[in-house]
Amino acid sequence: GQQVMQIPQYQHVQEGEDFTTYCNSSTTLSNIQWYKQRPGGHPVFLIQLVKSGEVKKQKRLTFQFGEAKKNSSLHITATQTTDVGTYFCAGGYQKVTFGTGTKLQVIP
Amino acid sequence: GAVVSQHPSWVICKSGTSVKIECRSLDFQATTMFWYRQFPKQSLMLMATSNEGSKATYEQGVEKDKFLINHASLTLSTLTVTSAHPEDSSFYICSAGGGRDEQFFGPGTRLTVL
């Protein structure tokens, strides 16, 4: 079946440093979604990318969908303590396959 | 965005008992809802697709007789964990919405089986 892996599994950064998580799928994705889950919370939708090579920005967050639609990345510029959480990529409409997640810890 | 609620938010039960978890779409109708399970420090794994008015579709490896799903109305899906055991302790999350847009997740239910 489809597998969606993310690296790194964990990342500790100093506040103000940049952070990137990479998402790789074993199969071509129709779309890619990104979610953020705070400790003890539920996943919160961040964004969806659909087109090959698409890049979208949300303030300090930059999302990219690979040309082959098998990989994606999320980059956070100048991290803040509020960025703490686990970031999941996910593929598919409705029936979503989640990536393994990257847990981000920001050190003040 | 749309709101999905879950009840209860946490539950502790004895081994062998059954637990029912409700998932409601509060401001929209959902013909399809999804149930996920998340073990500590792991990702979300889709358990089943709940279809209003018909049988749920279970993912491979998920026991349909153990995890009973009922989608009684366009705003309510229930997941019943029957004869729960400690290994069933997990975070159960439902979602609804989608189509070509985002999924809206409930706040989750933390189940602890003693």
Side-chain angles (χ1 to χ4, degrees):
Chain A
Q2 182 182 60
Q3 290 187 326
V4 183
M5 305 296 291
Q6 284 181 251
I7 55 171
Q9 190 175 2
Y10 301 97
Q11 183 83 63
H12 291 77
V13 299
Q14 204 75 36
E15 188 174 18
E17 292 181 339
D18 293 355
F19 160 77
T20 303
T21 172
Y22 299 91
C23 173
N24 294 285
S25 171
S26 58
T27 60
T28 302
L29 299 168
S30 55
N31 65 329
I32 193 83
Q33 300 176 7
W34 283 93
Y35 294 82
K36 177 183 178 181
Q37 185 176 23
R38 292 183 181 274
H42 63 280
V44 174
F45 176 84
L46 295 177
I47 207 162
Q48 175 171 264
L49 305 173
V50 178
K51 299 177 183 177
S52 169
E54 189 171 11
V55 178
K56 286 189 177 180
K57 290 189 175 184
Q58 285 181 350
K59 297 182 180 178
R60 294 179 295 105
L61 278 61
T62 302
F63 304 85
Q64 187 169 11
F65 200 8
E67 293 290 341
K69 301 184 77 172
K70 295 183 70 174
N71 57 72
S72 180
S73 65
L74 158 59
H75 179 81
I76 302 178
T77 304
T79 54
Q80 301 175 357
T81 55
T82 52
D83 295 326
V84 166
T86 300
Y87 292 85
F88 292 100
C89 64
Y93 294 107
Q94 293 195 329
K95 186 175 173 178
V96 172
T97 299
F98 278 82
T100 49
T102 296
K103 185 175 182 179
L104 172 64
Q105 191 65 259
V106 179
I107 305 165
Chain B
V3 179
V4 175
S5 71
Q6 274 184 247
H7 177 80
S9 55
W10 57 271
V11 57
I12 301 173
C13 69
K14 292 182 178 180
S15 185
T17 60
S18 295
V19 175
K20 180 186 284 189
I21 302 170
E22 293 184 348
C23 175
R24 293 181 184 273
S25 56
L26 297 185
D27 51 3
F28 67 102
Q29 294 182 331
T31 55
T32 305
M33 292 184 175
F34 302 88
W35 287 96
Y36 294 84
R37 180 167 55 184
Q38 185 177 33
F39 291 108
K41 300 182 180 181
Q42 293 189 22
S43 185
L44 287 83
M45 297 298 294
L46 179 65
M47 298 175 65
T49 302
S50 173
N51 305 298
E52 190 269 334
S54 64
K55 292 182 178 180
T57 306
Y58 291 82
E59 295 301 302
Q60 192 174 10
V62 178
E63 300 175 56
K64 59 180 68 177
D65 293 332
K66 181 167 184 62
F67 298 99
L68 301 179
I69 291 173
N70 184 274
H71 200 138
S73 74
L74 288 171
T75 59
L76 173 64
S77 174
T78 59
L79 167 68
T80 301
V81 183
T82 62
S83 187
H85 287 95
E87 57 266 30
D88 298 323
S89 298
S90 186
F91 194 46
Y92 293 87
I93 307 175
C94 68
S95 74
R100 301 191 81 79
D101 297 315
E102 64 186 273
Q103 282 286 297
F104 300 101
F105 284 84
T109 297
R110 189 163 302 281
L111 170 63
T112 301
V113 184
L114 301 177

CSV table of all heavy atoms in Angstrom, one decimal, chain B residues 29-70:
chain,number,residue,atom,x,y,z
B,29,GLN,N,-23.6,18.8,7.0
B,29,GLN,CA,-23.9,17.4,6.9
B,29,GLN,C,-22.8,16.6,6.2
B,29,GLN,O,-22.2,17.1,5.3
B,29,GLN,CB,-25.2,17.3,6.0
B,29,GLN,CG,-26.4,17.9,6.7
B,29,GLN,CD,-27.7,17.8,5.8
B,29,GLN,OE1,-27.6,17.7,4.6
B,29,GLN,NE2,-28.8,17.7,6.5
B,30,ALA,N,-22.6,15.5,6.8
B,30,ALA,CA,-21.5,14.7,6.3
B,30,ALA,C,-22.0,13.3,6.0
B,30,ALA,O,-22.3,12.5,6.8
B,30,ALA,CB,-20.4,14.6,7.4
B,31,THR,N,-22.0,13.0,4.7
B,31,THR,CA,-22.4,11.6,4.3
B,31,THR,C,-21.3,10.6,4.6
B,31,THR,O,-21.5,9.4,4.7
B,31,THR,CB,-22.8,11.6,2.8
B,31,THR,OG1,-21.6,12.1,2.0
B,31,THR,CG2,-24.0,12.4,2.5
B,32,THR,N,-20.1,11.1,4.7
B,32,THR,CA,-19.0,10.3,5.0
B,32,THR,C,-18.1,10.9,6.1
B,32,THR,O,-17.8,12.0,6.1
B,32,THR,CB,-18.1,10.1,3.7
B,32,THR,OG1,-18.9,9.7,2.6
B,32,THR,CG2,-16.9,9.1,4.0
B,33,MET,N,-17.8,10.0,7.0
B,33,MET,CA,-16.9,10.4,8.1
B,33,MET,C,-15.8,9.4,8.2
B,33,MET,O,-16.0,8.2,7.7
B,33,MET,CB,-17.6,10.5,9.4
B,33,MET,CG,-18.6,11.7,9.5
B,33,MET,SD,-19.4,11.8,11.1
B,33,MET,CE,-20.3,13.3,11.0
B,34,PHE,N,-14.7,9.7,8.8
B,34,PHE,CA,-13.6,8.8,8.9
B,34,PHE,C,-13.1,8.7,10.3
B,34,PHE,O,-13.1,9.6,11.1
B,34,PHE,CB,-12.4,9.4,8.0
B,34,PHE,CG,-12.8,9.5,6.6
B,34,PHE,CD1,-13.3,10.7,6.1
B,34,PHE,CD2,-12.6,8.5,5.7
B,34,PHE,CE1,-13.7,10.9,4.8
B,34,PHE,CE2,-13.0,8.7,4.3
B,34,PHE,CZ,-13.5,9.9,3.9
B,35,TRP,N,-12.7,7.5,10.6
B,35,TRP,CA,-12.2,7.2,12.0
B,35,TRP,C,-10.7,6.8,11.9
B,35,TRP,O,-10.3,6.0,11.1
B,35,TRP,CB,-13.0,6.1,12.6
B,35,TRP,CG,-14.3,6.5,13.1
B,35,TRP,CD1,-15.5,6.3,12.4
B,35,TRP,CD2,-14.7,7.2,14.3
B,35,TRP,NE1,-16.6,6.9,13.1
B,35,TRP,CE2,-16.1,7.4,14.3
B,35,TRP,CE3,-14.0,7.6,15.4
B,35,TRP,CZ2,-16.8,8.0,15.3
B,35,TRP,CZ3,-14.6,8.2,16.4
B,35,TRP,CH2,-16.0,8.4,16.4
B,36,TYR,N,-9.9,7.5,12.7
B,36,TYR,CA,-8.5,7.3,12.8
B,36,TYR,C,-8.1,6.9,14.2
B,36,TYR,O,-8.8,7.2,15.2
B,36,TYR,CB,-7.7,8.6,12.4
B,36,TYR,CG,-7.9,9.0,11.0
B,36,TYR,CD1,-9.0,9.8,10.6
B,36,TYR,CD2,-6.9,8.7,10.0
B,36,TYR,CE1,-9.1,10.3,9.4
B,36,TYR,CE2,-7.1,9.2,8.7
B,36,TYR,CZ,-8.2,10.0,8.4
B,36,TYR,OH,-8.3,10.4,7.1
B,37,ARG,N,-7.0,6.2,14.3
B,37,ARG,CA,-6.4,5.9,15.6
B,37,ARG,C,-5.0,6.3,15.6
B,37,ARG,O,-4.3,6.2,14.6
B,37,ARG,CB,-6.5,4.3,15.8
B,37,ARG,CG,-6.0,3.8,17.1
B,37,ARG,CD,-6.3,2.4,17.3
B,37,ARG,NE,-5.9,1.5,16.2
B,37,ARG,CZ,-6.2,0.2,16.2
B,37,ARG,NH1,-6.9,-0.3,17.1
B,37,ARG,NH2,-5.8,-0.5,15.2
B,38,GLN,N,-4.6,6.9,16.7
B,38,GLN,CA,-3.2,7.4,16.9
B,38,GLN,C,-2.6,6.9,18.2
B,38,GLN,O,-3.1,7.3,19.3
B,38,GLN,CB,-3.2,8.9,16.8
B,38,GLN,CG,-1.8,9.5,16.8
B,38,GLN,CD,-1.8,11.0,16.7
B,38,GLN,OE1,-2.7,11.7,17.2
B,38,GLN,NE2,-0.8,11.5,16.1
B,39,PHE,N,-1.6,6.0,18.1
B,39,PHE,CA,-0.9,5.6,19.2
B,39,PHE,C,0.1,6.6,19.6
B,39,PHE,O,0.6,7.5,18.7
B,39,PHE,CB,-0.2,4.2,19.0
B,39,PHE,CG,-1.3,3.1,18.8
B,39,PHE,CD1,-1.5,2.5,17.6
B,39,PHE,CD2,-1.9,2.6,19.9
B,39,PHE,CE1,-2.5,1.5,17.5
B,39,PHE,CE2,-2.9,1.6,19.8
B,39,PHE,CZ,-3.2,1.1,18.6
B,40,PRO,N,0.6,6.6,20.9
B,40,PRO,CA,1.5,7.7,21.3
B,40,PRO,C,2.8,7.8,20.4
B,40,PRO,O,3.3,6.8,20.0
B,40,PRO,CB,1.9,7.2,22.7
B,40,PRO,CG,0.7,6.4,23.2
B,40,PRO,CD,0.2,5.8,22.0
B,41,LYS,N,3.1,9.0,20.1
B,41,LYS,CA,4.3,9.3,19.2
B,41,LYS,C,4.2,8.7,17.9
B,41,LYS,O,5.2,8.5,17.2
B,41,LYS,CB,5.5,8.9,20.0
B,41,LYS,CG,5.7,9.6,21.3
B,41,LYS,CD,7.0,9.2,22.0
B,41,LYS,CE,7.2,9.9,23.3
B,41,LYS,NZ,8.5,9.5,24.0
B,42,GLN,N,3.0,8.4,17.4
B,42,GLN,CA,2.9,7.8,16.1
B,42,GLN,C,1.9,8.6,15.2
B,42,GLN,O,1.3,9.6,15.7
B,42,GLN,CB,2.4,6.3,16.2
B,42,GLN,CG,3.4,5.4,16.8
B,42,GLN,CD,3.0,3.9,16.7
B,42,GLN,OE1,2.2,3.6,15.8
B,42,GLN,NE2,3.5,3.1,17.5
B,43,SER,N,1.8,8.3,14.0
B,43,SER,CA,1.0,9.0,13.1
B,43,SER,C,-0.5,8.5,13.2
B,43,SER,O,-0.8,7.6,13.9
B,43,SER,CB,1.5,8.8,11.7
B,43,SER,OG,0.8,9.6,10.8
B,44,LEU,N,-1.3,9.2,12.5
B,44,LEU,CA,-2.7,8.8,12.4
B,44,LEU,C,-2.9,7.7,11.4
B,44,LEU,O,-2.4,7.8,10.3
B,44,LEU,CB,-3.6,9.9,12.0
B,44,LEU,CG,-3.8,11.0,13.1
B,44,LEU,CD1,-2.7,12.0,13.1
B,44,LEU,CD2,-5.1,11.7,12.8
B,45,MET,N,-3.6,6.6,11.8
B,45,MET,CA,-3.9,5.5,10.9
B,45,MET,C,-5.4,5.4,10.7
B,45,MET,O,-6.1,5.3,11.6
B,45,MET,CB,-3.4,4.2,11.5
B,45,MET,CG,-1.9,4.2,11.8
B,45,MET,SD,-0.9,4.3,10.2
B,45,MET,CE,-1.3,2.8,9.4
B,46,LEU,N,-5.8,5.4,9.4
B,46,LEU,CA,-7.2,5.3,9.1
B,46,LEU,C,-7.7,3.9,9.5
B,46,LEU,O,-7.1,2.9,9.1
B,46,LEU,CB,-7.4,5.6,7.6
B,46,LEU,CG,-8.8,5.5,7.1
B,46,LEU,CD1,-9.7,6.6,7.7
B,46,LEU,CD2,-8.9,5.6,5.6
B,47,MET,N,-8.8,3.9,10.2
B,47,MET,CA,-9.4,2.6,10.6
B,47,MET,C,-10.5,2.3,9.7
B,47,MET,O,-10.6,1.1,9.2
B,47,MET,CB,-9.9,2.7,12.0
B,47,MET,CG,-8.9,3.0,13.1
B,47,MET,SD,-9.7,3.2,14.7
B,47,MET,CE,-10.4,1.6,15.0
B,48,ALA,N,-11.4,3.2,9.4
B,48,ALA,CA,-12.6,2.9,8.6
B,48,ALA,C,-13.2,4.2,8.1
B,48,ALA,O,-13.0,5.3,8.6
B,48,ALA,CB,-13.6,2.1,9.5
B,49,THR,N,-14.0,3.9,7.1
B,49,THR,CA,-14.8,5.0,6.5
B,49,THR,C,-16.2,4.7,6.8
B,49,THR,O,-16.8,3.6,6.6
B,49,THR,CB,-14.6,5.0,4.9
B,49,THR,OG1,-13.3,5.2,4.6
B,49,THR,CG2,-15.4,6.1,4.3
B,50,SER,N,-16.8,5.7,7.5
B,50,SER,CA,-18.2,5.6,7.9
B,50,SER,C,-19.1,6.2,6.9
B,50,SER,O,-19.0,7.4,6.5
B,50,SER,CB,-18.4,6.3,9.3
B,50,SER,OG,-19.7,6.4,9.7
B,51,ASN,N,-20.1,5.5,6.4
B,51,ASN,CA,-21.0,5.9,5.3
B,51,ASN,C,-22.4,6.0,5.9
B,51,ASN,O,-23.0,5.0,6.4
B,51,ASN,CB,-21.0,4.9,4.1
B,51,ASN,CG,-19.6,4.7,3.6
B,51,ASN,OD1,-18.9,5.7,3.1
B,51,ASN,ND2,-19.1,3.5,3.7
B,52,GLU,N,-23.0,7.1,5.7
B,52,GLU,CA,-24.4,7.3,6.2
B,52,GLU,C,-25.3,6.4,5.5
B,52,GLU,O,-25.4,6.4,4.2
B,52,GLU,CB,-24.8,8.8,6.0
B,52,GLU,CG,-26.1,9.1,6.7
B,52,GLU,CD,-27.3,9.0,5.8
B,52,GLU,OE1,-27.1,9.0,4.5
B,52,GLU,OE2,-28.4,8.7,6.3
B,53,GLY,N,-26.1,5.6,6.2
B,53,GLY,CA,-27.1,4.7,5.6
B,53,GLY,C,-26.6,3.4,5.1
B,53,GLY,O,-27.3,2.6,4.5
B,54,SER,N,-25.3,3.2,5.2
B,54,SER,CA,-24.7,1.9,4.7
B,54,SER,C,-23.6,1.4,5.6
B,54,SER,O,-23.2,2.1,6.5
B,54,SER,CB,-24.3,2.0,3.3
B,54,SER,OG,-23.2,2.9,3.2
B,55,LYS,N,-23.1,0.3,5.3
B,55,LYS,CA,-22.0,-0.3,6.1
B,55,LYS,C,-20.7,0.5,6.0
B,55,LYS,O,-20.4,1.0,4.9
B,55,LYS,CB,-21.8,-1.8,5.7
B,55,LYS,CG,-23.0,-2.7,6.1
B,55,LYS,CD,-22.6,-4.1,5.7
B,55,LYS,CE,-23.8,-5.1,6.1
B,55,LYS,NZ,-23.4,-6.5,5.7
B,56,ALA,N,-20.0,0.5,7.1
B,56,ALA,CA,-18.7,1.1,7.1
B,56,ALA,C,-17.7,0.3,6.3
B,56,ALA,O,-17.9,-0.9,6.1
B,56,ALA,CB,-18.2,1.3,8.5
B,57,THR,N,-16.7,0.9,5.8
B,57,THR,CA,-15.6,0.3,5.0
B,57,THR,C,-14.4,0.3,5.9
B,57,THR,O,-13.9,1.3,6.3
B,57,THR,CB,-15.3,1.0,3.7
B,57,THR,OG1,-16.5,1.1,3.0
B,57,THR,CG2,-14.3,0.2,2.9
B,58,TYR,N,-13.9,-0.9,6.2
B,58,TYR,CA,-12.8,-1.0,7.2
B,58,TYR,C,-11.4,-1.2,6.4
B,58,TYR,O,-11.4,-1.8,5.4
B,58,TYR,CB,-13.0,-2.2,8.1
B,58,TYR,CG,-14.1,-2.0,9.1
B,58,TYR,CD1,-15.4,-2.2,8.7
B,58,TYR,CD2,-13.8,-1.5,10.4
B,58,TYR,CE1,-16.5,-2.0,9.6
B,58,TYR,CE2,-14.9,-1.3,11.3
B,58,TYR,CZ,-16.2,-1.5,10.9
B,58,TYR,OH,-17.2,-1.3,11.8
B,59,GLU,N,-10.4,-0.6,7.0
B,59,GLU,CA,-9.1,-0.8,6.4
B,59,GLU,C,-8.5,-2.2,6.8
B,59,GLU,O,-9.0,-2.8,7.7
B,59,GLU,CB,-8.1,0.3,6.9
B,59,GLU,CG,-8.5,1.7,6.5
B,59,GLU,CD,-8.5,1.8,5.0
B,59,GLU,OE1,-7.5,1.6,4.3
B,59,GLU,OE2,-9.6,2.2,4.5
B,60,GLN,N,-7.6,-2.6,6.0
B,60,GLN,CA,-7.0,-3.9,6.2
B,60,GLN,C,-6.4,-4.0,7.6
B,60,GLN,O,-5.7,-3.1,8.1
B,60,GLN,CB,-5.9,-4.2,5.2
B,60,GLN,CG,-5.4,-5.6,5.1
B,60,GLN,CD,-4.5,-5.8,4.0
B,60,GLN,OE1,-4.0,-4.9,3.3
B,60,GLN,NE2,-4.2,-7.1,3.7
B,61,GLY,N,-6.7,-5.1,8.3
B,61,GLY,CA,-6.2,-5.3,9.6
B,61,GLY,C,-7.1,-4.8,10.7
B,61,GLY,O,-6.8,-5.0,11.9
B,62,VAL,N,-8.1,-4.1,10.4
B,62,VAL,CA,-9.0,-3.6,11.5
B,62,VAL,C,-10.2,-4.5,11.6
B,62,VAL,O,-10.9,-4.8,10.6
B,62,VAL,CB,-9.5,-2.1,11.1
B,62,VAL,CG1,-10.5,-1.6,12.1
B,62,VAL,CG2,-8.3,-1.2,11.0
B,63,GLU,N,-10.5,-5.0,12.8
B,63,GLU,CA,-11.5,-6.0,13.0
B,63,GLU,C,-12.9,-5.3,13.0
B,63,GLU,O,-13.2,-4.5,14.0
B,63,GLU,CB,-11.3,-6.7,14.3
B,63,GLU,CG,-10.0,-7.5,14.4
B,63,GLU,CD,-9.8,-8.1,15.8
B,63,GLU,OE1,-10.7,-8.8,16.2
B,63,GLU,OE2,-8.8,-7.8,16.4
B,64,LYS,N,-13.7,-5.6,12.1
B,64,LYS,CA,-15.0,-4.9,12.0
B,64,LYS,C,-16.0,-5.3,13.2
B,64,LYS,O,-16.8,-4.6,13.6
B,64,LYS,CB,-15.7,-5.2,10.7
B,64,LYS,CG,-15.9,-6.7,10.4
B,64,LYS,CD,-16.6,-6.8,9.0
B,64,LYS,CE,-15.7,-6.4,7.9
B,64,LYS,NZ,-16.3,-6.6,6.6
B,65,ASP,N,-15.7,-6.5,13.7
B,65,ASP,CA,-16.6,-7.0,14.8
B,65,ASP,C,-16.1,-6.3,16.1
B,65,ASP,O,-16.9,-6.3,17.1
B,65,ASP,CB,-16.5,-8.5,14.9
B,65,ASP,CG,-17.2,-9.2,13.8
B,65,ASP,OD1,-18.1,-8.5,13.2
B,65,ASP,OD2,-16.8,-10.3,13.4
B,66,LYS,N,-14.9,-5.9,16.2
B,66,LYS,CA,-14.4,-5.2,17.4
B,66,LYS,C,-14.7,-3.7,17.4
B,66,LYS,O,-15.0,-3.1,18.4
B,66,LYS,CB,-12.9,-5.5,17.5
B,66,LYS,CG,-12.3,-4.9,18.8
B,66,LYS,CD,-11.0,-5.4,19.1
B,66,LYS,CE,-10.5,-4.8,20.4
B,66,LYS,NZ,-11.3,-5.3,21.5
B,67,PHE,N,-14.6,-3.1,16.3
B,67,PHE,CA,-14.8,-1.7,16.1
B,67,PHE,C,-16.1,-1.5,15.3
B,67,PHE,O,-16.0,-1.4,14.1
B,67,PHE,CB,-13.6,-1.0,15.5
B,67,PHE,CG,-12.3,-1.2,16.3
B,67,PHE,CD1,-11.4,-2.1,15.9
B,67,PHE,CD2,-12.1,-0.4,17.3
B,67,PHE,CE1,-10.2,-2.3,16.6
B,67,PHE,CE2,-10.9,-0.5,18.1
B,67,PHE,CZ,-10.0,-1.5,17.7
B,68,LEU,N,-17.2,-1.4,16.0
B,68,LEU,CA,-18.5,-1.2,15.4
B,68,LEU,C,-18.7,0.2,15.0
B,68,LEU,O,-18.6,1.1,15.9
B,68,LEU,CB,-19.6,-1.8,16.3
B,68,LEU,CG,-19.5,-3.2,16.7
B,68,LEU,CD1,-20.6,-3.6,17.6
B,68,LEU,CD2,-19.4,-4.1,15.4
B,69,ILE,N,-19.1,0.5,13.8
B,69,ILE,CA,-19.3,1.9,13.3
B,69,ILE,C,-20.8,2.0,12.8
B,69,ILE,O,-21.2,1.1,12.0
B,69,ILE,CB,-18.3,2.3,12.2
B,69,ILE,CG1,-16.9,2.4,12.8
B,69,ILE,CG2,-18.8,3.6,11.6
B,69,ILE,CD1,-15.8,2.7,11.8
B,70,ASN,N,-21.4,3.0,13.3
B,70,ASN,CA,-22.8,3.3,12.9
B,70,ASN,C,-22.9,4.7,12.5
B,70,ASN,O,-22.5,5.6,13.2
B,70,ASN,CB,-23.7,3.0,14.0
B,70,ASN,CG,-25.2,3.2,13.6
B,70,ASN,OD1,-25.7,4.3,13.7
B,70,ASN,ND2,-25.8,2.1,13.2
